[in-house]
Amino acid sequence: MIVSCSRRTDIPAFYSEWFMNRLRDGYVCVRNPYNHNQISKIYLSREVVDCIVFWTKNSGPMMKDLDEIHELGYEYYFHFTITPYQTDIEPGLKDKKESVKNFIRLSEKIGKEKVILRYDPILFTPKYTIDYHEKAFEKLCKQVGMHTKKVVISFVDHYRKNHKKLIEADILEPEENQVRDLSVRLVKIASQYGLYLETCAEKYDLADLGIKHGACIDGSYIAELIGSKLINENRKDGNRALCGCMESIDIGQYDTCLHACTYCYANISDRLAKQNNGEHDPKSDILIGRIGRENITVRKGNISFRKDKDLCQQALL
């Protein structure tokens, strides 16, 4: 089983204590994002978890936990996002110098092959132009290039949750000529620092420029990391259009991230995210609130990729 931690929120930045409690207890409860009264209980023992994929913009709060995660026997890697935007776009990320420092610290701690740099989403405004991104990307590669091997890029998409905020900020979906123009420049810069580029769920085909469609949860990469072939390596996630990721279980919850990024597809509103965060209890089985009278089920289906399927489906209550 691959655990996504998490596309829905930044667990390392805001909920690392809770996450560690879940690992120690060996299970986590997760609300269905479309029906909050439906809750699944997911077994997190080392016997069934093949790999944990972390997504973050601030690994700092979790640094103290990495040794314990390793001692517990879990394999993992990080997607670490650093973008060039200021507080007009990312009001919750006020110190990008600290982001760079955290990226370097993380890479030096766990190895650069386990820290993937994400420069996404790329958006264009009169302020954030192609030339702006070119200069910012080169500066970033100069700072962290020796601390990673791969850079993932994507261009901003309008979703139901972020469309209004993007329009208010005059951020339109990029045109193909903009995408290709900047991509040519990014490839040139990345190659100078020994980095290769991949796209994430991107509708534009940039293979002719040297950028292949990537998979953030990459079965072949995970198999190499854990030293064992995954049974269902080619089974795709299927939840997002154009996504090449293999299937995983996400243990996060939407509307809980406090970064408050304008382009975020995971929050309906910053107010709701703050409200939900206020209901977070690090000792709870579930990320937000506590479990009441809701129905709790064990995740069904073939969710095992290397371990015994039956273990993944054991009831823990």
Side-chain angles (χ1 to χ4, degrees):
M1 179 175 69
I2 311 301
V3 177
S4 172
C5 185
S6 157
R7 289 190 183 99
R8 300 171 183 168
T9 189
D10 193 331
I11 288 177
F14 302 116
Y15 306 107
S16 59
E17 181 182 357
W18 171 82
F19 173 75
M20 293 306 299
N21 287 333
R22 295 298 87 235
L23 281 191
R24 294 173 191 129
D25 287 345
Y27 71 94
V28 63
C29 292
V30 182
R31 293 187 188 278
N32 184 317
Y34 308 107
N35 178 2
H36 282 193
N37 288 325
Q38 182 182 2
I39 297 175
S40 296
K41 195 165 191 177
I42 310 299
Y43 199 23
L44 290 182
S45 76
R46 183 62 192 91
E47 287 71 30
V48 296
V49 173
D50 295 300
C51 188
I52 302 169
V53 183
F54 292 107
W55 317 71
T56 192
K57 293 180 178 177
N58 177 14
S59 61
M62 187 169 273
M63 289 295 295
K64 66 184 185 303
D65 302 314
L66 297 179
D67 287 338
E68 183 177 355
I69 295 173
H70 177 73
E71 290 169 2
L72 289 171
Y74 293 94
E75 298 286 356
Y76 63 91
Y77 65 98
F78 278 77
H79 283 274
F80 196 125
T81 300
I82 304 179
T83 53
Y85 310 119
Q86 298 174 14
T87 53
D88 57 336
I89 301 295
E90 295 177 338
L93 293 162
K94 296 179 172 59
D95 190 349
K96 292 302 176 72
K97 291 182 180 179
E98 189 64 24
S99 297
V100 169
K101 289 180 182 177
N102 282 332
F103 187 99
I104 294 171
R105 287 176 58 215
L106 180 63
S107 175
E108 291 177 343
K109 176 75 174 178
I110 67 175
K112 66 180 182 180
E113 70 282 354
K114 292 186 178 181
V115 186
I116 297 169
L117 174 63
R118 299 186 69 94
Y119 187 87
D120 79 316
I122 296 170
L123 56 84
F124 300 110
T125 70
K127 177 179 180 179
Y128 300 112
T129 63
I130 291 176
D131 289 341
Y132 179 97
H133 279 290
E134 180 182 21
K135 293 176 182 177
F137 186 71
E138 182 163 20
K139 179 180 178 181
L140 182 59
C141 288
K142 185 176 181 179
Q143 292 172 316
V144 305
M146 69 176 64
H147 299 284
T148 188
K149 292 184 176 181
K150 180 168 69 174
V151 184
V152 173
I153 65 170
S154 71
F155 293 84
V156 69
D157 290 310
H158 283 237
Y159 297 99
R160 178 180 58 83
K161 285 187 175 182
N162 70 1
H163 180 73
K164 181 179 179 181
K165 290 195 291 185
L166 290 177
I167 294 299
E168 290 174 349
D170 293 324
I171 300 171
L172 302 177
E173 293 201 44
E175 298 177 359
E176 185 171 2
N177 65 310
Q178 292 177 304
V179 169
R180 295 186 67 81
D181 186 355
L182 179 58
S183 295
V184 169
R185 304 187 196 193
L186 297 186
V187 168
K188 182 178 179 180
I189 294 168
S191 65
Q192 293 173 353
Y193 291 90
L195 304 171
Y196 67 95
L197 293 175
E198 289 183 356
T199 57
C200 169
E202 186 54 61
K203 64 182 178 182
Y204 297 105
D205 185 355
L206 305 174
D208 61 310
L209 304 181
I211 307 176
K212 70 174 185 177
H213 287 298
C216 302
I217 301 181
D218 186 330
S220 60
Y221 169 75
I222 292 173
E224 182 179 347
L225 182 67
I226 68 177
S228 178
K229 183 175 176 59
L230 298 170
I231 297 172
N232 296 310
E233 179 181 318
N234 296 319
R235 196 169 74 196
K236 301 305 180 184
D237 185 271
N239 289 325
R240 299 191 305 159
L242 304 173
C243 181
C245 290
M246 68 179 299
E247 189 175 14
S248 63
I249 293 180
D250 198 300
I251 64 170
Q253 183 173 324
Y254 291 125
D255 300 305
T256 60
C257 183
L258 301 181
H259 291 313
C261 302
T262 298
Y263 52 75
C264 181
Y265 64 83
N267 285 351
I268 291 177
S269 71
D270 300 336
R271 179 195 59 78
L272 181 57
K274 291 179 181 178
Q275 177 182 318
N276 284 335
N277 177 262
E279 297 176 5
H280 170 69
D281 179 355
K283 297 180 180 179
S284 176
D285 296 352
I286 201 163
L287 186 61
I288 302 302
R290 285 192 167 273
I291 297 172
R293 297 178 177 274
E294 302 93 337
N295 291 325
I296 302 175
T297 61
V298 177
R299 178 67 180 262
K300 300 298 183 182
N302 180 10
I303 60 173
S304 176
F305 291 95
R306 183 164 58 95
K307 308 297 185 182
D308 187 338
K309 287 186 295 183
D310 293 335
L311 287 174
C312 296
Q313 298 172 7
Q314 286 180 6
L316 298 178
L317 289 176

